[in-house]
Amino acid sequence: MAEVQRMDEVEQELLLNDLKHARMDEFRERFFDRHSYDQGKWFASIEPEEREILYRFLSPEEMAAIFENLDTDEKEIEMYLSEMDSIYAAQMLAQMYADDAVDVLNELDQSQVAGYLTLMEEDAAKEIRELLHYKEFTAGSIMTTEFVAIHAQQTVRSAMQILKTEAPNAETIYYTFVVDEDKRLVGVVSLRDLIISEDDTMISEIMNERVYSVLVSVDQEEAARKIRDYNFLALPVVDIHDRLLGIITIDDIVDVIDEEASEDYSKLAGISDADSQDKGPFSAAKKRLPWLIILLFLGMLTASLIGRFEKTLDQVAILSVFIPLIAGMAGNTGTQALAVAIRRIALGETAKETAFKILMREAGTGLIAGTVCGVAVTGVVFVWKGDLVLGLLVGAAILFSLIVAAVAGAMVPLIMHRFKIDPAVASGPFITTINDIISILIYLGLATLFIQNLH
Amino acid sequence: MAEVQRMDEVEQELLLNDLKHARMDEFRERFFDRHSYDQGKWFASIEPEEREILYRFLSPEEMAAIFENLDTDEKEIEMYLSEMDSIYAAQMLAQMYADDAVDVLNELDQSQVAGYLTLMEEDAAKEIRELLHYKEFTAGSIMTTEFVAIHAQQTVRSAMQILKTEAPNAETIYYTFVVDEDKRLVGVVSLRDLIISEDDTMISEIMNERVYSVLVSVDQEEAARKIRDYNFLALPVVDIHDRLLGIITIDDIVDVIDEEASEDYSKLAGISDADSQDKGPFSAAKKRLPWLIILLFLGMLTASLIGRFEKTLDQVAILSVFIPLIAGMAGNTGTQALAVAIRRIALGETAKETAFKILMREAGTGLIAGTVCGVAVTGVVFVWKGDLVLGLLVGAAILFSLIVAAVAGAMVPLIMHRFKIDPAVASGPFITTINDIISILIYLGLATLFIQNLH
């Protein structure tokens, strides 16, 4: 049957049995029949003492393939590495694709990294050390240095020969980059082009000279965008002298896009990470409480603000009935504007427009939405309570609140982006509370002004 | 210079000039020097009458390459096609990769589709007609039928020969699927394996028999998940008899992941589409107003609910001061739980746990978060107002509200998912309002019960 399901429970049990009874050959046969992603899932699911047997059954190189596919967090990585003999761990890291090894090492502290690097062969250590220099979230940090480069003055035959030799180590051989004698990037040839060309054709004849690249220091999102827009399988990374340093492959980009989207999403919800598995209520509460506590104190601020209007509220108790309505509408309008602004920043669209233009559009949007909602609410309150002044008051408060909320929702992330602060601070709940406060100020302020007209 | 920036304005001006002055050769030279993604961007930016000249300058086949890379919506597609001569349009559609042509045709109405199909050559029309049968958002709807299939009893040499011939038409040649005489999928060979093998090796010796595939009818997200988890460049799509129908390539998956993430995101924010460009405040308001109006009426419900407690509020005006705080905390807790639940559904993780277990965990999370926040708020209110009963009342209201809010936030999308309703209705603002109402009921209900103890 071609459709292979992820490892089912019976298979997992059998694997575990082989492991526990030290049947190494049976275990290896069964284990290597699986995709490394499934191997990784299983690896993460078993107990530490079971994993220790596994490390004896698998070579560092075999373990490297599993580690490359592991979907894991900082603590787990530290745990796995500490379970291994340090020489075994260092050999495993050396055998991984350099970009994946760097991902792992980035989770450890400096002294641990240094320790593993000294235990490695010099070649592997050097490659990893170079990649470790690049700042996290830059193109440099996600690129791999295992790529194939050829020269323009080669024939297709000799290029294919190089590919055959390099294929087992290169992360992709589907694009081959062409460099000059100074290692400067001058072109690209796809394996497809190589295959359909005659053996004696010169690379210079078939290469595409319009090769797209990114600077090593740009944000990883920019590289992701380019690969997505242009449907590339690999994108070369260069230094300022146009020298080829590495390549970024599409499978790494899928992870970047996924991560960035989930980051924006978590921000909007006010959680530190919506994606990772919550193992129990304590770990879930730990992720959510920081925001809730900040909100609690912002909420107390709101409460003390309303407290200032206690006299007004005492005189006209009906006023308090509409506080949640007005605050809620303003909060939601702000979240909508925030969501759009954050997506635009993520998609790199803010560069095309001035901040002023964006804010004017938000003000316009708030004005239109506020007018529609304000008129509707005035009508409803008038019919319900028979009080036109109260209706007009609530309607006007909604109109003004929505304008301010839309502008504020867009402005906060834009300002943060301008000052290169991560807009994480401007998460959904934060904006909501800000707009609660503003809208309540507007509402109760107006009410206090027109208190004589209310009954 | 290797780093090629997206078309700059000067280049765009030059292209337009060549077009307007009917300098076809110069235009074509300049135009084809660009990547088809940039060609598409430019195509979409010029005026209809300019595009009409363009259609005369480019063959349907050349136009097809541009259309495949176009990032566009329903209305624009209809416009472009209507600008073209219908035979030209039909030829262009026939020249596109079948899956991309189907994406375009899915935006048109039935009669238009039928019209174009009759104008096409029978072969192309048949291929497209078959793909059109698959329901939107299934694996079938995003697969392409332009793939290379070989047999196990071939040599590497003859397989490479087939690849050379098929390469110009196939969407990817980097994975070649192996089928038996009944077209059943039996294995996969990567181009990498073909390249490093000797010419006389049999495919059966080097092929991987553990080939992963998806059924044609599964959701596109499942296919996307598989490609992402296993780092595939292409995934075969089969019918229930395991016959190979088509393949899905990684570049299509990047779009799926992007779309799904942005859908979840927009839901949480309560907008119909956070990604698409807002051209002005009216179109932005149009996207946001539907939710705001629903919220307005839900908010009126909240208001009328508070109205029921007017007597209580009249007696103890200070109570109203804490309404936004309690409603806000409950709303945010609900949004957090909702966000986590929606992500889990999207990642396909809900199948592993019973709904009961998920809800119990949320109740636990709410209990922990509620206890922490409740104790904190009791302390603050006591210190601030010197009223322990009021403090306890607000604290207890927060405790109970947070438990209910966390459970409700997770329950609503789970129930909808169970009944196969799109959880879009359970968007962020909706859950927030529900939790506003519940929390206010709890708070003012408790207050009314203990009114004698308050001063």
Side-chain angles (χ1 to χ4, degrees), chain A residues 17 29 48 57 66 114 191 252 272-273 277 342 369 384 438 444:
Chain A
N17 249 323
E29 195 181 325
F57 280 15
I66 299 169
L191 185 51
D252 297 322
S272 55
D273 185 0
Q277 278 275 27
I342 287 183
W384 179 27
I438 294 172
L444 294 182

Side-chain angles (χ1 to χ4, degrees), chain B residues 15-82:
Chain B
L15 269 176
L16 205 55
N17 248 323
D18 285 340
L19 196 69
K20 282 181 180 159
H21 295 91
R23 289 192 292 261
M24 177 156 147
D25 293 339
E26 290 91 331
F27 173 82
R28 287 178 56 93
E29 194 180 323
R30 207 185 288 280
F31 190 70
F32 287 113
D33 213 16
R34 296 294 165 175
H35 188 281
S36 47
Y37 174 76
D38 294 325
Q39 291 169 355
K41 283 250 159 192
W42 183 75
F43 170 82
S45 75
I46 62 177
E47 300 295 319
E49 53 275 18
E50 291 158 357
R51 276 195 296 270
E52 270 160 40
I53 310 175
L54 185 70
Y55 302 138
R56 279 183 273 130
F57 279 16
L58 301 179
S59 71
E61 190 172 352
E62 288 159 351
M63 201 59 226
I66 300 169
F67 242 69
E68 278 161 5
N69 278 283
L70 223 50
D71 204 9
T72 187
D73 66 19
E74 198 180 334
K75 266 191 211 153
E76 285 165 343
I77 284 186
E78 269 195 61
M79 180 177 73
Y80 299 146
L81 289 176
S82 71

